Amino acid sequence: MSLVIEKPRVAFDVSQIKRGYLLWGRHSTWNEGKAGFVTAATEDQLIVQYYPGIGNVTNHFIIPVSEAAEGQWKIRWSSDMADIQEYNIKTDGEQVEEEGVDGGDPGGIDS
């Protein structure tokens, strides 16, 4: 019997999303999503800074990979707003995971 075992685990693909990317996220408990930019991206979590609409204040939210994998988050992100990626966004009754949307209307990135 081995002392060390390997277990598969979920992780963010940090080659797909990096610091400085634009991100819109909505947790299942929120009425609406928040748009901001990624300040940290690791395999375990994403940290997104956003403007809450109060003077010169900024705030942030954290997206743990475990919650994203459980479907608690809807996420859209882009490095240039020309190619927008989506995760866990339902379209026409189907669940879409990490599908790119090429140009055009991003489908309400801040809705």
Side-chain angles (χ1 to χ4, degrees):
M1 188 178 272
S2 176
L3 177 62
V4 178
I5 59 172
E6 290 185 35
K7 290 186 177 181
R9 70 177 190 98
V10 295
F12 284 117
D13 183 355
V14 292
S15 69
Q16 296 292 317
I17 189 164
K18 300 182 185 322
R19 192 171 75 177
Y21 280 25
L22 301 171
L23 184 141
W24 173 89
R26 181 172 161 226
H27 191 267
S28 59
T29 60
W30 298 354
N31 291 331
E32 57 186 40
K34 294 177 178 28
F37 59 93
V38 177
T39 57
T42 67
E43 290 184 347
D44 297 322
Q45 68 182 9
L46 301 174
I47 301 175
V48 181
Q49 190 154 2
Y50 69 97
Y51 174 65
I54 306 170
N56 291 332
V57 176
T58 60
N59 204 345
H60 71 281
F61 59 91
I62 298 172
I63 304 174
V65 71
S66 59
E67 290 182 5
E70 291 172 0
Q72 296 181 29
W73 285 91
K74 293 180 180 181
I75 304 169
R76 293 184 181 117
W77 72 94
S78 178
S79 63
D80 58 4
M81 292 300 291
D83 184 28
I84 299 171
Q85 304 296 316
E86 298 180 337
Y87 178 78
N88 203 26
I89 304 290
K90 293 181 182 178
T91 319
D92 299 330
E94 293 184 21
Q95 183 169 343
V96 178
E97 293 189 7
E98 295 189 39
E99 179 179 305
V101 179
D102 292 326
D105 180 22
I109 193 157
D110 58 347
S111 59

